[in-house]
Amino acid sequence: MIVRCGRCQAQVEAPGPGRFQCPMCGTTNEIRGGPETLERPPAREPVADTPSPRVECGACAFSFIVGDVATAPCPMCGESVVVGGGEA
């Protein structure tokens, strides 16, 4: 199993629960639990959200996604684009 060192965040191959020493920084780490804790969690059901609104910049015609705001800067040219949502 691949785990991350708690100190340096290096990916380390570990045999399973127990203590292991990070080959990068020497820190002793511990993996707790038995095989039942190593199982992959159940997949989450997709959330039925409305898609984020998309606007088009009037200056460069770049289309981008925005949040709930009144105006947003165009990521391509920096022009202020009126979105219409949110508070001014």
Side-chain angles (χ1 to χ4, degrees):
M1 87 172 18
I2 303 289
V3 295
R4 288 194 183 270
C5 171
R7 182 174 186 199
C8 71
Q9 298 299 310
Q11 290 187 356
V12 178
E13 179 74 36
R19 291 178 180 248
F20 69 94
Q21 187 171 8
C22 175
M24 302 300 235
C25 68
T27 301
T28 300
N29 293 278
E30 183 176 356
I31 301 173
R32 296 183 185 169
E36 67 279 354
T37 62
L38 301 177
E39 292 177 8
R40 176 170 277 171
R44 289 190 265 172
E45 292 183 24
V47 178
D49 259 345
T50 57
S52 298
R54 230 173 169 38
V55 295
E56 186 174 298
C57 176
C60 69
F62 184 73
S63 177
F64 58 101
I65 295 174
V66 295
D68 188 21
V69 295
T71 61
C74 173
M76 185 66 78
C77 69
E79 183 74 25
S80 185
V81 179
V82 177
V83 176
E87 298 296 321

